[in-house]
Every structure is written in C-alpha cells, then in structure tokens.
Amino acid sequence: MAMMEEKRRSNRQVIGLILTTALSTVFAPVAFAQANYSAADARYVTSSQNPDVLNYIVCLENTMSYPGMQDKWGFQGAMDIAQNECRTLPFPGYPAVPSTDDLARSIQECGFRPGDASPDMGCGAMPVAVSQSYPVQDNAEQANGIFAASIFTYCDATLLAKFWRVDVGQSKALIGNKILNGLGWNIPAILRSSRQAGNQCEWSDTGYSYQDAEQIASIWSLGRGVSEAKSKMTMLATAGHQNWVDAALGHCHTDSLVQDFSLPAGQC
C-alpha cells in the first residue's frame, strides 16, 4: 500500500511538472513571438502604425500559434485565451486605432499572414481613402461622416447589416469605424461573404430615382422598360457594380468601370 501511494505521489509530481512547463510555455507570448512573428508581420493585419497595436497582434499570434492550441480549443477558444493572456499589454483606447474586437474579427476573416486567407478574399492591410479628414468628435458622427465620404454605398451598408445582423445605421457606423481604424481594406471580402450567404439589396437601397430607371431602360434598350431597368440596377448594386450604372447615367468616367475600394467618393 505504501509503495502504491508513493507511486501515485510520484506520478502527480511528474504530471504537475509537465503541466507547469507546458503552461509557462503557452503563456509566454512575447518571448515566443519575437522568434517567429514580428511587428513587421503584424502590419498585414492592420495599417495602424501604433507600436502597442502591433505588439498586441504579435502577442495574439504567438499565443494562438502554440502547437496544439487551436486543435484543442478551436479558433474562437484560442482567440479567447490569447485575448485574456494579452490583456495586460498596453493598448490605446482612442478612435484612431482599431479596437481589440476589430482586430479579432480581422484575424478571423484573414488570418495573421498573407498565406492564411484565400487568394480572392482581398485581405492585406491597405488604407481606404476618404475625401477629407474629420476632427475627432462624437465617434458615431465621425464614423458616419467617413462612411459618407467613402466609396461604399447604402446598398453595401445594407448587405453588411444583414450579414452582421444589425440595422443599417449601425452598419454604416461600423464601416466608418473600420476605415478610421485602418481595417477598411477587408470590407470587400466581407461584402463577398454576405452575397455568398444570399443577402441582396432592394430597389429602395440603391438610391436611384424613377427617372434614373427610365434613362437606363432607354440607354440599355430594355424591352420591359422601367421594371427591367430597376431589376438590373438593383442586381448590379447588390453585386458591387453600382458604378456601372453611374457610368451609364453619366455620373462618372465610363473608362473606369472596375470598382476600386481605395478610390475616394465620386469616382467609379
């Protein structure tokens, strides 16, 4: 009996040592990250140049990439552990930088490195241009102003509202905040996901008038007239090609039909 108890005690000590060593390795994110993932790599996730933001991303990547972490806990579980572990790092809390939730969503959509996302996802931290700068004021007002100055349309906001399960007003503010925080580059990828999920815009989401539909019906020689024009205009808006309609209506240059999300408002 004494020998069995001694063996159990020895086994518990060995298991304790293994767990202590494993946990100390898992939760030593900064040291592990320095050898494998740097602030330069973190610039794939966000265009923010704030060193605290970049170091926070490095910490997340280090914790989540520990061998077996995601196999055991899944992506969201590993992200929760990483966010908890990295919460002690300094992190700015003002509108000009992405929030921790923004970063988590971005990483979920596009990963930490270029090879993590599908080639057609449009991932990679690139700035989205806006037509003017806005002073820091009420964050919702600022975000809505930036949305209005971007190339994203009310139809885009509707598609994202359905995907995010929020109202259109909240969707517009979220788009504005993404652009403000250096994450606007991944909006086209989220729009594609929304379309693939079957979400669509209505005619009322396009912002066009009955007269616009009449003009399109005439320009494109549509046999069913305004009803067919409205249907096609709505379909194109849903597909992200509202600029084709604008070009036909003479609202922009007809030689620039490919939507470029880095262009400022008023261009196609």
Side-chain angles (χ1 to χ4, degrees):
M1 181 69 73
M3 289 181 64
M4 290 179 64
E5 182 59 32
E6 180 63 28
K7 187 174 182 179
R8 289 193 192 98
R9 186 183 303 113
S10 177
N11 287 341
R12 285 196 296 269
Q13 289 173 343
V14 171
I15 292 169
L17 178 61
I18 292 171
L19 287 174
T20 300
T21 303
L23 288 173
S24 66
T25 306
V26 170
F27 298 119
V30 175
F32 185 79
Q34 287 173 346
N36 296 276
Y37 190 82
S38 69
D41 299 311
R43 290 190 175 93
Y44 164 77
V45 177
T46 176
S47 60
S48 172
Q49 300 300 304
N50 188 294
D52 289 338
V53 173
L54 298 175
N55 287 336
Y56 178 79
I57 296 169
V58 169
C59 179
L60 292 179
E61 195 280 340
N62 172 70
T63 306
M64 294 184 68
S65 65
Y66 184 78
M69 174 69 79
Q70 293 192 51
D71 291 339
K72 181 175 179 60
W73 301 105
F75 177 88
Q76 191 55 56
M79 175 61 76
D80 291 343
I81 292 171
Q83 286 183 302
N84 183 65
E85 176 62 18
C86 301
R87 73 188 188 284
T88 57
L89 294 180
F91 194 91
Y94 45 84
V97 299
S99 69
T100 55
D101 286 342
D102 280 332
L103 292 173
R105 282 192 293 267
S106 177
I107 291 164
Q108 184 172 20
E109 291 156 3
C110 293
F112 287 100
R113 296 176 173 85
D116 293 343
S118 299
D120 62 344
M121 282 292 286
C123 296
M126 298 177 290
V128 176
V130 294
S131 62
Q132 56 184 303
S133 59
Y134 290 85
V136 175
Q137 38 190 278
D138 175 75
N139 194 49
E141 181 183 348
Q142 184 182 26
N144 281 313
I146 290 176
F147 167 79
S150 76
I151 59 85
F152 299 110
T153 66
Y154 188 90
C155 176
D156 293 332
T158 299
L159 290 173
L160 294 183
K162 291 178 179 179
F163 189 73
W164 286 329
R165 298 183 180 179
V166 298
D167 63 42
V168 177
Q170 289 174 299
S171 176
K172 289 162 68 177
L174 285 168
I175 293 170
N177 272 319
K178 273 185 170 286
I179 296 171
L180 179 66
N181 294 336
L183 296 168
W185 53 269
N186 71 353
I187 293 173
I190 308 172
L191 282 168
R192 283 196 293 274
S193 296
S194 182
R195 295 180 190 113
Q196 289 167 2
N199 295 319
Q200 298 180 354
C201 294
E202 304 293 335
W203 165 252
S204 58
D205 299 323
T206 66
Y208 295 119
S209 67
Y210 186 87
Q211 288 72 28
D212 291 331
E214 285 183 316
Q215 189 174 347
I216 287 294
S218 174
I219 293 170
W220 290 347
S221 303
L222 301 178
R224 291 189 290 111
V226 171
S227 64
E228 186 176 356
K230 291 169 71 174
S231 177
K232 285 188 177 294
M233 293 163 79
T234 303
M235 178 190 69
L236 287 169
T238 295
H241 299 311
Q242 195 159 338
N243 54 332
W244 294 9
V245 180
D246 290 339
L249 292 171
H251 296 170
C252 59
H253 299 294
T254 56
D255 60 347
S256 181
L257 296 180
V258 179
Q259 182 167 340
D260 180 348
F261 63 89
S262 68
L263 290 173
Q267 296 186 30
C268 294

